[in-house]
Short mmCIF file of all heavy atoms in Angstrom, two decimals:
data_model
loop_
_atom_site.label_atom_id
_atom_site.label_comp_id
_atom_site.label_asym_id
_atom_site.label_seq_id
_atom_site.Cartn_x
_atom_site.Cartn_y
_atom_site.Cartn_z
N SER A 144 136.24 84.40 121.06
CA SER A 144 136.39 84.95 122.42
C SER A 144 137.28 84.05 123.26
O SER A 144 137.82 84.48 124.29
CB SER A 144 135.02 85.08 123.09
OG SER A 144 134.36 83.82 123.14
N ILE A 145 137.44 82.81 122.84
CA ILE A 145 138.32 81.86 123.52
C ILE A 145 139.48 81.53 122.61
O ILE A 145 139.28 80.99 121.51
CB ILE A 145 137.58 80.57 123.91
CG1 ILE A 145 136.39 80.88 124.83
CG2 ILE A 145 138.53 79.58 124.57
CD1 ILE A 145 135.55 79.67 125.18
N ILE A 146 140.68 81.88 123.00
CA ILE A 146 141.85 81.59 122.18
C ILE A 146 142.28 80.15 122.44
O ILE A 146 142.62 79.78 123.55
CB ILE A 146 143.00 82.56 122.50
CG1 ILE A 146 142.59 83.99 122.16
CG2 ILE A 146 144.26 82.18 121.71
CD1 ILE A 146 143.66 85.02 122.45
N THR A 147 142.24 79.36 121.39
CA THR A 147 142.61 77.95 121.50
C THR A 147 144.05 77.77 121.04
O THR A 147 144.41 78.17 119.94
CB THR A 147 141.69 77.07 120.64
OG1 THR A 147 140.34 77.25 121.08
CG2 THR A 147 142.07 75.61 120.76
N LYS A 148 144.86 77.18 121.89
CA LYS A 148 146.24 76.91 121.55
C LYS A 148 146.44 75.40 121.47
O LYS A 148 146.11 74.67 122.40
CB LYS A 148 147.18 77.50 122.61
CG LYS A 148 147.14 79.02 122.70
CD LYS A 148 148.17 79.54 123.68
CE LYS A 148 148.15 81.05 123.74
NZ LYS A 148 149.18 81.58 124.67
N ILE A 149 146.95 74.95 120.35
CA ILE A 149 147.22 73.53 120.17
C ILE A 149 148.57 73.20 120.78
O ILE A 149 149.53 73.96 120.63
CB ILE A 149 147.18 73.17 118.68
CG1 ILE A 149 145.78 73.42 118.12
CG2 ILE A 149 147.58 71.73 118.45
CD1 ILE A 149 145.70 73.31 116.63
N ASN A 150 148.67 72.09 121.49
CA ASN A 150 149.90 71.72 122.17
C ASN A 150 150.95 71.27 121.17
O ASN A 150 150.95 70.14 120.72
CB ASN A 150 149.64 70.60 123.19
CG ASN A 150 150.91 70.15 123.88
OD1 ASN A 150 151.90 70.88 123.90
ND2 ASN A 150 150.89 68.96 124.45
N ASN A 151 151.84 72.16 120.79
CA ASN A 151 152.90 71.83 119.86
C ASN A 151 154.24 72.34 120.37
O ASN A 151 155.09 72.75 119.59
CB ASN A 151 152.61 72.41 118.48
CG ASN A 151 151.39 71.77 117.86
OD1 ASN A 151 151.34 70.57 117.70
ND2 ASN A 151 150.40 72.58 117.54
N GLU A 152 154.41 72.33 121.66
CA GLU A 152 155.67 72.78 122.24
C GLU A 152 156.79 71.82 121.86
O GLU A 152 156.63 70.59 121.90
CB GLU A 152 155.57 72.86 123.76
CG GLU A 152 156.85 73.34 124.43
CD GLU A 152 156.72 73.38 125.94
OE1 GLU A 152 155.60 73.10 126.44
OE2 GLU A 152 157.73 73.67 126.60
N ILE A 153 157.91 72.36 121.45
CA ILE A 153 159.05 71.55 121.05
C ILE A 153 160.01 71.41 122.22
O ILE A 153 160.44 72.40 122.81
CB ILE A 153 159.78 72.18 119.85
CG1 ILE A 153 158.83 72.20 118.64
CG2 ILE A 153 161.05 71.42 119.51
CD1 ILE A 153 159.39 72.95 117.45
N THR A 154 160.32 70.16 122.57
CA THR A 154 161.23 69.88 123.68
C THR A 154 162.55 69.37 123.11
O THR A 154 162.58 68.51 122.25
CB THR A 154 160.64 68.81 124.62
OG1 THR A 154 159.36 69.25 125.09
CG2 THR A 154 161.56 68.56 125.80
N ARG A 155 163.66 69.94 123.62
CA ARG A 155 164.98 69.52 123.18
C ARG A 155 165.78 69.02 124.39
O ARG A 155 165.55 69.47 125.52
CB ARG A 155 165.74 70.67 122.51
CG ARG A 155 165.07 71.23 121.26
CD ARG A 155 165.80 72.47 120.76
NE ARG A 155 165.10 73.14 119.68
CZ ARG A 155 165.36 72.96 118.38
NH1 ARG A 155 166.32 72.13 118.03
NH2 ARG A 155 164.68 73.62 117.46
N ASN A 156 166.73 68.11 124.14
CA ASN A 156 167.60 67.69 125.22
C ASN A 156 168.80 68.64 125.33
O ASN A 156 168.86 69.66 124.63
CB ASN A 156 168.05 66.23 125.03
CG ASN A 156 168.86 66.04 123.75
OD1 ASN A 156 169.39 66.99 123.17
ND2 ASN A 156 168.97 64.80 123.31
N THR A 157 169.75 68.32 126.20
CA THR A 157 170.88 69.22 126.44
C THR A 157 171.77 69.37 125.21
O THR A 157 172.56 70.32 125.12
CB THR A 157 171.72 68.72 127.62
OG1 THR A 157 172.12 67.36 127.38
CG2 THR A 157 170.92 68.79 128.92
N ASN A 158 171.67 68.43 124.28
CA ASN A 158 172.45 68.51 123.04
C ASN A 158 171.70 69.24 121.93
O ASN A 158 172.19 69.33 120.80
CB ASN A 158 172.82 67.10 122.55
CG ASN A 158 173.74 66.39 123.51
OD1 ASN A 158 174.67 67.00 124.06
ND2 ASN A 158 173.50 65.10 123.73
N GLY A 159 170.51 69.77 122.26
CA GLY A 159 169.73 70.50 121.28
C GLY A 159 168.90 69.62 120.37
O GLY A 159 168.27 70.11 119.43
N MET A 160 168.86 68.32 120.61
CA MET A 160 168.09 67.40 119.78
C MET A 160 166.63 67.41 120.21
O MET A 160 166.32 67.40 121.41
CB MET A 160 168.67 65.98 119.89
CG MET A 160 170.13 65.90 119.45
SD MET A 160 170.95 64.40 120.01
CE MET A 160 170.04 63.15 119.10
N VAL A 161 165.73 67.43 119.25
CA VAL A 161 164.30 67.45 119.54
C VAL A 161 163.87 66.09 120.06
O VAL A 161 164.06 65.06 119.40
CB VAL A 161 163.49 67.82 118.28
CG1 VAL A 161 162.00 67.71 118.56
CG2 VAL A 161 163.85 69.23 117.81
N THR A 162 163.28 66.07 121.25
CA THR A 162 162.82 64.81 121.84
C THR A 162 161.30 64.71 121.89
O THR A 162 160.77 63.61 122.12
CB THR A 162 163.36 64.65 123.26
OG1 THR A 162 162.97 65.79 124.04
CG2 THR A 162 164.88 64.56 123.25
N ALA A 163 160.62 65.83 121.67
CA ALA A 163 159.15 65.80 121.67
C ALA A 163 158.62 67.03 120.97
O ALA A 163 159.23 68.10 121.01
CB ALA A 163 158.59 65.72 123.09
N ILE A 164 157.50 66.86 120.29
CA ILE A 164 156.73 67.97 119.76
C ILE A 164 155.28 67.71 120.15
O ILE A 164 154.65 66.78 119.66
CB ILE A 164 156.86 68.10 118.24
CG1 ILE A 164 158.33 68.28 117.84
CG2 ILE A 164 156.03 69.27 117.73
CD1 ILE A 164 158.55 68.46 116.36
N GLY A 165 154.78 68.53 121.08
CA GLY A 165 153.46 68.25 121.61
C GLY A 165 153.47 66.92 122.33
O GLY A 165 154.35 66.63 123.15
N ASN A 166 152.53 66.06 122.01
CA ASN A 166 152.42 64.74 122.65
C ASN A 166 153.30 63.70 121.99
O ASN A 166 153.41 62.58 122.47
CB ASN A 166 150.97 64.27 122.62
CG ASN A 166 150.05 65.15 123.43
OD1 ASN A 166 150.44 65.61 124.50
ND2 ASN A 166 148.85 65.40 122.93
N THR A 167 153.91 64.05 120.88
CA THR A 167 154.72 63.09 120.13
C THR A 167 156.14 63.04 120.66
O THR A 167 156.78 64.08 120.83
CB THR A 167 154.75 63.47 118.64
OG1 THR A 167 153.41 63.49 118.15
CG2 THR A 167 155.57 62.49 117.84
N SER A 168 156.63 61.82 120.93
CA SER A 168 157.98 61.67 121.46
C SER A 168 158.89 61.01 120.42
O SER A 168 158.45 60.21 119.60
CB SER A 168 157.97 60.82 122.72
OG SER A 168 157.42 59.53 122.47
N LEU A 169 160.18 61.37 120.46
CA LEU A 169 161.17 60.84 119.55
C LEU A 169 162.34 60.29 120.35
O LEU A 169 162.77 60.89 121.33
CB LEU A 169 161.68 61.93 118.60
CG LEU A 169 160.67 62.60 117.66
CD1 LEU A 169 159.96 63.76 118.35
CD2 LEU A 169 161.37 63.12 116.41
#
């Protein structure tokens, strides 16, 4: 009844490079 979503949003910079996935930073 409660939809749980795990924080796995992918963040990219202006060059399209991944700088974060969820709480993890690169």
Side-chain angles (χ1 to χ4, degrees):
S144 58
I145 301 176
I146 297 179
T147 301
K148 296 185 178 182
I149 297 171
N150 178 20
N151 294 303
E152 181 181 356
I153 296 173
T154 304
R155 299 174 187 263
N156 62 18
T157 55
N158 295 319
M160 301 163 65
V161 174
T162 57
I164 302 182
N166 296 321
T167 301
S168 59
L169 299 85

